[in-house]
Amino acid sequence: MATGRADKIHPYVLTAFTLTVAAFYAASFFPQARLWGINWFGFFDWYGPISLLAVALLLPLVLVRLGSADDKPSSSRVYGVFASATVLLLTLFLHLFRARTHFLGDGYQILDWLRSGAPNNKPWAAGVHAVLLWLYTAVADFSSQPELAASQLLSYLSGVVFVIAAALSAAWFFERTRDRIIFLLGLCSGGHMLMYFGYVESYPLFVTVVALFSLVGLAVSRGKLGRSWLLIPLGLAVTLHIFCVALIPAGLYLLLRDTSLGRRLASMRPAVRWGGAVLCFAGAVAVFAYAYTHSYFFRFTIVPFVDGPLVVERYTMFSSAHLLDFVNLIWQHAPALLLFGAVRLMLPMRSMVVRPDYRFLFLLAAPSLVMVFIFQPGLATPRDWDLFSFPAVPLVLLGFYAILDNRDRLVGYTTISGLAIALGFMLLIPRVATQVVPEKGLAVFERMAVLDPIRNRSGRFIQIDYYESLGDTANVERVREFCRAKYPQERWYEESRILLEGNRPEAAAEKLRDVVNFDPSHGHAWAGLGLYHYENRRFDSALACWQIATALTPFDADHLRQLGLGYSAVGDTSRAEDCWRGSAHLDDSDPAAQIYLLGLYREQERNDEYERILNTLGARPDVPLGVLVEYADYCAFVGDLAASVEGYSRALAQGLDSAFVRERQRQYPGLRVIED
C-alpha cells in the first residue's frame, strides 16, 4: 500500500502541473486576448512571466524534498499556533494589499449609493445592503471616506470569517497536523480570495456564507453535526442574493437523507425514480420556457441561446466568446483544476460517488456551475467575475477534500497538495497586485473593455469620472476619443433628442432605430422608441419597447413610469398601477408617477387611495397647478377649509385666475382666500 509519502510525483500530476504553468506563461504574452482568467502575469512586463517560470521550476523540487521528510506527530498545539498566525497574517495582508481602484465590479456604483443615502432597490440583496448601511453608520464619525471604509470593512470581515471557518473545519475534519495545514491553505488559495482584499462590492459576504454552507454541509454529511445546522447558513444566503437557489439541491439532499421520506424515495423502483425526475425536469423546463417567453427581464438574465436582434455583440450561449469566458472564469477561480482532474483519474470514483459527503459536494458544485454558464451578463465584462466566484468554494473544497480523504491511495499526496496550493497562490498574487497598483488596475479594466466594448460602455464613463477626479485631462480626452470612436450610438441618441426638440419625430425615431440595431442593450433608446409609438397610438409597439427598456434598466423610474402608460393604454390597469407604484418608490423627487396613480384611483373611484395620494401630492412644493387646484377643491369639499385656503393660496401664486377662487368662495361660504 502506498504510504502517502511524497517521494515522487505521479506522471499525471506532473503533466497537469506543467500544462497549467505553460498555459499561464503562454497567456502572459497575450494580455489583450480573451484569456483574461490566466494572463495576469502579462501585466508585469518581463519580470512577471520570468517569476512564474522560476517558481514553477523550483517548486516541485522543494515540495518533493519537504514531502519526503518524515511526518511529525500530530499536535493540536502546533496547528493552533499555525492557524492563529494564518488568521492574523491574512487580516494584515487584506488591509495592506487592499484594492486602490474599483473597476472590476460595481465598486464605484456601490460607493455612490452609500454616499447618496438612496434606498435599496434590490430586494434579493436586502441583507448585505443592510450590513453595508450599518457599517457605514458605524464608521461615519471616524472616517473621511465612510462609504469606502464601510465597503472595505465588509470585505475584510468576510475574509476573516472565511479563514477562521476554514481553520476550524480543518481541525474538525482531519487528525494529522499536515492534513489540517493543507486543507486550510488549500481553501485560502482559491480565486475567490481576491474578494477579501478590500474589494468594493456586495458579494464578499455572500461568498463567505456559501463557504459556511459548504463546510457545515460537509460536517453534516460526515455525521459531525445535526442537519438542522444547515438551515443557518442557508437562511443567511437567502437574504444576500437570489443565486442562493444553487444551494437548494445539496441542502435538500442532506435534509432528506436518513429521514422516513428520504428512505421511501430511495426505496422506490428505479423506473419510478427516473420517471419522477423526468417529470420534475419537464416541469422546470415548462416554468423556464414560460418565464423566458413572457418576461424580457428574465430573458435578459439568460445568455442568449441563438443570435438575434436583441443579442449584443453576437454573444450567445455556445459562441466561442462565451465558452472561452466560462473556461477562463472557472480556471481563474480554481487554478489547480487540471491537477484535480489528474487526481480524479487516480481515485476510485465509483466508490466515492455513493458516499454522502461526495454526493453533497457534487450537488453543490454542479448547480453552481450551471448557473454561472447560463446567466448573464457576459463573463468577460469586469462586472460579474465577483458574483460568479461563489462556485469556486465547492470546487476548491472538493479538490482538496478528495486528495486528503484519499491520501493513502495517492503516492506523494503532500506534493500533490502543495502543487495545487501553489497554483492557486501563483494566480492570486498577480491578481491582487493589479488591484493594489492603480496603473495595473486600469490596465486590467482597459483589457476587459476592449474585449467587449458595448457591454463595457457604462464602465468607460466611470473611467472618465475617475480621471477627472485626478485632474488627468490627457487620459480624460483619450477615453472620450475612444468612446466617440467605439460608441457611435451615444452620438446618434443625442442627435435623436435634438431632432425631437426640433419637432421632427420621424427622423428622431429613425436615429433611435439605428441605436438599437447597433446596440440592443441601449435602454434609453428603446424608451424613446416606445414614446414615439405611444404618441402615434401604436400602443402594442410602445408597450413592447418599454418592456425591453425596463428589463434592461429595471431601476430607472422614468422607464418604469412609461411602462405603466403602456399597460394603461392596452387596458391592463393592474400592471400599470404596479409600475407607477414602483416608479414612485424608485424616485420620489418627480411627482409624475403619483399623478398617474391619482388619475387611476379617481377613475376607479377608489376613494381611500385617492385621498391618500392627493394629500401626498398636495403637500409637495412642486405639484402642478392642476393637481394643486384639485387638492384645494377636495379639501373644501370634505370640510378641511384651512388646508383648502393654503392650497388655493399656493395656486394663486402659481397663476390661478382669482375669479376661479372667488367662485369657490361663493360655493363654500366659510372659505376665505381673497378678501372682498
Side-chain angles (χ1 to χ4, degrees), residues 59 64 123 137 236 257 259 267 286 389 393 418 425 497 511 515 563:
L59 194 64
V64 167
T137 303
L236 290 173
R257 178 177 169 268
T259 64
S267 64
S389 66
V393 176
F425 283 113
R497 293 166 61 91
K511 283 290 182 183
V515 173
L563 180 60

Side-chain angles (χ1 to χ4, degrees), residues 580 594-604 610 613:
W580 290 330
Q594 293 177 323
I595 293 172
Y596 288 132
L597 286 170
L598 180 70
L600 177 66
Y601 297 151
R602 183 195 311 116
E603 180 181 339
Q604 295 181 345
Y610 172 79
I613 201 75

Side-chain angles (χ1 to χ4, degrees), residues 275-529:
V278 169
L279 287 176
C280 290
F281 180 76
V285 170
V287 171
F288 179 91
Y290 180 84
Y292 191 83
T293 55
H294 287 74
S295 170
Y296 281 109
F297 178 78
F298 184 79
R299 184 184 302 183
F300 290 151
T301 64
I302 305 297
V303 180
F305 294 103
V306 294
D307 198 8
L310 296 179
V311 176
V312 179
E313 297 175 321
R314 308 190 72 175
Y315 193 93
T316 61
M317 193 167 293
F318 299 101
S319 64
S320 59
H322 179 62
L323 296 176
L324 277 172
D325 286 342
F326 182 73
V327 172
N328 273 282
L329 181 78
I330 302 305
W331 210 348
Q332 173 179 269
H333 291 322
L337 194 62
L338 292 183
L339 195 147
F340 292 151
V343 170
R344 178 225 173 271
L345 298 176
M346 303 156 58
L347 296 179
M349 295 301 296
R350 287 180 178 270
S351 61
M352 292 168 60
V353 295
V354 299
R355 287 173 44 180
D357 46 357
Y358 285 104
R359 284 185 173 180
F360 167 76
L361 292 175
F362 290 147
L363 287 172
L364 182 58
S368 302
L369 293 174
V370 171
M371 292 187 71
V372 166
F373 184 75
I374 69 173
F375 279 93
Q376 345 213 42
L379 304 181
T381 69
R383 302 202 180 283
D384 49 15
W385 81 266
D386 37 27
L387 171 59
F388 289 156
S389 66
F390 76 92
V393 176
L395 276 179
V396 174
L397 174 59
L398 176 60
F400 283 101
Y401 181 75
I403 292 173
L404 295 173
D405 185 55
N406 294 276
R407 63 176 182 268
D408 292 334
R409 296 187 176 96
L410 297 172
V411 175
Y413 87 95
T414 304
T415 302
I416 296 172
S417 304
L419 292 175
I421 293 169
L423 287 174
F425 283 113
M426 285 164 65
L427 204 57
L428 179 62
I429 289 172
R431 292 176 64 210
V432 171
T434 61
Q435 302 308 294
V436 174
V437 183
E439 293 77 11
K440 302 298 183 184
L442 286 162
V444 171
F445 172 77
E446 295 269 0
R447 179 270 309 270
M448 298 285 194
V450 169
L451 287 176
D452 303 280
I454 292 179
R455 288 184 293 147
N456 285 282
R457 175 168 52 91
S458 61
R460 281 297 191 177
F461 299 118
I462 295 173
Q463 187 183 15
I464 291 174
D465 292 340
Y466 174 81
Y467 282 130
E468 286 180 337
S469 69
L470 298 178
D472 190 345
T473 56
N475 271 316
V476 168
E477 185 54 35
R478 177 182 64 83
V479 178
R480 282 180 174 163
E481 184 61 33
F482 176 91
C483 292
R484 285 191 287 268
K486 294 293 184 180
Y487 306 139
Q489 71 270 38
E490 296 300 323
R491 185 177 70 253
W492 299 337
Y493 178 71
E494 291 302 321
E495 290 172 357
S496 75
R497 293 166 61 91
I498 295 172
L499 290 168
L500 195 60
E501 292 172 359
N503 199 25
R504 299 175 59 190
E506 296 294 337
E510 194 59 36
K511 283 290 182 183
L512 292 173
R513 291 189 187 96
D514 291 340
V515 173
V516 298
N517 287 334
F518 181 83
D519 179 7
S521 65
H522 202 294
H524 293 291
W526 282 110
L529 278 175

